[in-house]
């Protein structure tokens, strides 16, 4: 816990440096690219279109559980936070290798590198949140006061990604296959959260499935985004799920920081 408090003080003290490095990291992605920032949107938009085509209008005709909501309007609040979480975790896993020249500097606090990647992913996420708002307005839905709650759930998703990144990034230095394992787990994890489908579809044949899905911490994020955008429910209306989510996230964060601290003295030797 003392280690976490000292890290928080370091983040506050070097907030300007962290922000500048995060902006530089964001801009670096598109250096030398002809279309630049456009590529940031192409893959997620194509992904949404594919799921809409398969599960929406022309495929299996999945019916959203929200009245008067099209499949796309129901899908987007679930998949937008997943794009953010998966990007933050993927890039965070490789951050120590990418910034190995900073890791080798004795005076640099390497614990801020996963945070830099998280903020860089958050900049991208902000664009998609604006698109999500625009889609709802275009579809004729009136803004809800709970839309502001997206900020809270974005913070929650970011903390979960950061907690996992501290573990995966520190292990990645010594075990290069960790990034591949993370990618596979994210592909599998996407289907373990009800993003493309409603967990209510199992209520008749396998009611226990909904309970199992709720054990996935990301279920809380998906449900929260949809509560905020579509139903107008607040996070405190899910008290048990909220407590469970933050308990799991805090445990993962403490565990990740412990592993990171233990392996940190050996980073520069390996890199």
């Amino acid at each position: 816990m003392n280690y976490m408090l000292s890290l928080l003080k370091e983040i506050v003290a070097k907030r300007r440096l962290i922000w500048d490095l995060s902006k530089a990291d964001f801009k670096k992605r598109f250096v030398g690219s002809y279309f630049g920032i456009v590529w940031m949107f192409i893959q997620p938009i194509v992904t949404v279109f594919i799921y809409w085509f398969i599960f929406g209008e022309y495929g299996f005709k999945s019916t959203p559980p929200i009245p008067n909501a099209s499949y796309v309007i129901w899908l987007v609040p679930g998949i937008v936070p997943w794009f953010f979480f998966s990007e933050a975790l993927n890039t965070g896993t490789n951050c120590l290798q990418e910034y190995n020249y900073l890791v080798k500097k004795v005076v640099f606090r390497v614990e801020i590198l996963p945070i830099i990647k998280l903020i860089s992913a958050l900049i991208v996420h902000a664009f998609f949140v604006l698109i999500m708002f625009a889609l709802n307005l275009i579809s004729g839905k009136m803004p809800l006061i709970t839309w502001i709650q997206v900020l809270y759930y974005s913070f929650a998703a970011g903390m979960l990604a950061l907690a996992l990144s501290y573990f995966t990034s520190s292990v990645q230095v010594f075990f290069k296959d960790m990034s591949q394992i993370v990618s596979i787990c994210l592909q599998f994890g996407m289907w373990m959260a009800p993003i493309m489908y409603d967990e209510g579809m199992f209520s008749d044949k396998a009611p226990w499935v909904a309970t199992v899905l709720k054990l996935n911490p990301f279920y809380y994020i998906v449900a929260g985004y949809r509560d905020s955008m579509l139903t107008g429910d607040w996070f405190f209306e899910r008290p048990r799920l909220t407590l469970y989510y933050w308990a799991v996230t805090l445990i993962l964060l403490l565990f990740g920081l412990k592993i990171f601290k233990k392996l940190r003295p050996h980073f520069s030797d390996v890199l």
Side-chain angles (χ1 to χ4, degrees):
M1 189 61 72
N2 291 333
Y3 181 64
M4 184 184 294
L5 292 175
S6 67
L7 178 58
L8 285 173
K9 292 178 181 178
E10 186 79 10
I11 293 171
V12 173
K14 295 186 177 179
R15 59 188 181 277
R16 186 61 182 269
L17 173 64
I18 293 173
W19 175 242
D20 289 341
L21 289 173
S22 300
K23 290 191 296 183
D25 184 89
F26 173 75
K27 294 176 182 177
K28 184 177 66 175
R29 304 182 191 191
F30 311 109
V31 173
S33 174
Y34 184 79
F35 290 103
I37 201 171
V38 173
W39 290 112
M40 181 180 73
F41 299 99
I42 290 178
Q43 182 178 357
I45 289 175
V46 169
T47 302
V48 171
F49 175 79
I50 290 172
Y51 289 134
W52 167 76
F53 187 85
I54 295 175
F55 295 103
E57 297 297 322
Y58 302 103
F60 296 112
K61 292 279 187 180
S62 179
T63 303
I66 308 297
N68 302 319
S70 66
Y71 181 76
V72 170
I73 294 301
W74 179 82
L75 171 67
V76 169
I79 207 168
V80 163
W82 180 259
F83 288 149
F84 167 51
F85 172 78
S86 58
E87 182 183 6
L89 183 54
N90 268 322
T91 57
T93 298
N94 296 292
C95 67
L96 296 179
Q97 286 187 316
E98 183 178 346
Y99 288 99
N100 60 79
Y101 57 92
L102 291 177
V103 176
K104 295 175 182 179
K105 289 188 176 182
V106 179
V107 296
F108 188 81
R109 187 77 182 263
V110 293
E111 287 87 346
I112 70 174
L113 290 176
I115 298 173
I116 289 169
K117 286 296 185 180
L118 176 65
I119 296 175
S120 178
L122 190 60
I123 296 173
V124 178
H125 180 58
F127 284 101
F128 279 102
V129 168
L130 293 177
I131 292 174
M132 180 173 65
F133 288 162
L135 280 174
N136 277 267
L137 293 174
I138 292 171
S139 69
K141 291 189 174 295
M142 296 297 293
L144 301 173
I145 187 64
T146 50
W147 284 15
I148 196 173
Q149 197 173 225
V150 167
L151 295 173
Y152 161 73
Y153 284 109
S154 296
F155 171 76
M159 290 303 295
L160 179 61
L162 184 64
L164 294 171
S165 294
Y166 277 120
F167 172 75
T168 58
S169 63
S170 58
V171 174
Q172 168 71 11
V173 174
F174 306 93
F175 182 62
K176 307 302 181 186
D177 294 332
M178 176 55 73
S179 59
Q180 302 300 325
I181 294 173
V182 168
S183 296
I184 293 172
C185 288
L186 285 172
Q187 291 180 21
F188 180 73
M190 186 176 186
W191 292 97
M192 290 300 293
I195 295 174
M196 277 76 68
Y197 60 89
D198 173 41
E199 70 270 21
M201 65 188 293
F202 301 104
S203 58
D204 293 333
K205 296 183 178 180
W208 55 269
V209 173
T211 303
V212 172
L213 290 174
K214 290 179 181 179
L215 295 177
N216 179 357
F218 205 79
Y219 174 91
Y220 177 71
I221 303 298
V222 173
Y225 266 72
R226 285 177 175 147
D227 286 346
S228 302
M229 297 301 301
L230 302 175
T231 64
D233 295 332
W234 294 95
F235 74 93
F236 49 78
E237 295 181 52
R238 294 179 181 267
R240 286 189 296 178
L241 205 57
T242 298
L243 290 174
Y244 169 77
Y245 178 84
W246 284 111
V248 171
T249 301
L250 182 59
I251 291 171
L252 290 173
L253 181 59
L254 291 172
F255 176 76
L257 283 172
K258 184 178 181 179
I259 299 298
F260 195 97
K261 181 182 179 182
K262 184 177 182 179
L263 298 177
R264 182 182 59 182
H266 309 288
F267 288 163
S268 58
D269 296 334
V270 178
L271 294 172

